[in-house]
Amino acid sequence: MNIPSQISTLLAGIVLTLVSLWYGQNHNLLPVAASEAAPLVDQLFNAMLTIGTGIFLLVSFILIYSSFRFRRQPGDLSDGPPVHGNIPLEILWTAIPAVIVLGISVFSFEIYNTESGMNPMDHSMAAHGGHPVAHVQKGAAIAAPLIADTDPNIAITKEIRKNAATNAIEEDIPVRKDAPIPGVVSPRAGSISPNNKQEPLVINAAGMQYAWLFTYPEEIIAGEMHLPVGRPVIMNITANDVLHAFWVPEFRLKQDAVPGRQTQIRFVPTKEGDYPIICAELCGAYHGAMKSHVVVESPEAYEEWVQSMKIAQAKGEEQTVALNPAQMTESEYLAPYAQETGVTPEMLHQLHSMS
């Protein structure tokens, strides 16, 4: 049966479209989506993969078809027919990629804007109002409220540098650098839906070679993260030595950790699980070993973890006090050093009695 070329081209286009759509939605190349932002990023990735699959199949088909259809016949030593310009064809193959790139650009900027990338000043604490301030930890990023009617830099400097434990001013704590008008802002990523009315959990994160240090409210310090599912999270991030980058692939969010400067990331975990935290910035010889993990769990399980950390850290403080050299006798203080040199308390007592 001789099928008209228009019909065969139409059928090939339908098959190509269906195959591209199917693979673009069923590729399973991404990890589980565990934050509110993840589905948006996945939509963009799926759209780009669908378009890329269609282009790949189309180009591959044309190459294979042309290789067989227009191959040189045996004994044919003549040149091929001369090819002249084809303006309609050139317009077509220029217009199609332009439309595709324009569509992807609009889609990308829409998602970027949804994540507040186009309006960074909207990330200010004043815009969301009333967020709790995490306790200050030396070397970690600090959360502090912005006062909308004053210069944010002036308003928050004292709060940022004030150590809650010693009431001293820490000059080495990085200050959030926001201009009072749209302009210079601290790098921020992510967003929190205005429909989520829960109080955000503010965490200060500090990157160092080769670990992360997370400071929770009430002075809880941990090397791993625990988050209650569904509760908004605001992370203030800095670095103590070199550049790092906080990245959780399942959240589809990444933020740089810059020495001497605060960055911020906002998200809402939506799926319980244990996910890796990866440093996405080459930070030294053991960069590959700089890993931790974040546990997203029920609010009840998170509260249990908080209470267990309070008890553990309270015991740690008591042990620290017990080992305070100021409260130890000379024998207790010198015992480790005397043992290394072979000097015993009996020898010391004998020497004292001879003197």
Side-chain angles (χ1 to χ4, degrees), residues 1-24:
M1 183 175 63
N2 187 18
I3 301 176
S5 60
Q6 295 85 350
I7 299 299
S8 59
T9 302
L10 176 62
L11 293 176
I14 293 174
V15 172
L16 179 68
T17 302
L18 292 177
V19 171
S20 302
L21 288 173
W22 177 84
Y23 184 71

Side-chain angles (χ1 to χ4, degrees), residues 313-346:
Q313 294 190 179
K315 290 181 179 178
E317 290 177 357
E318 290 175 358
Q319 292 174 355
T320 302
V321 172
L323 294 175
N324 186 351
Q327 299 178 354
M328 299 170 65
T329 65
E330 291 184 358
S331 297
E332 291 173 338
Y333 180 75
L334 295 175
Y337 310 101
Q339 187 175 9
E340 292 179 359
T341 58
V343 179
T344 62
E346 291 74 17

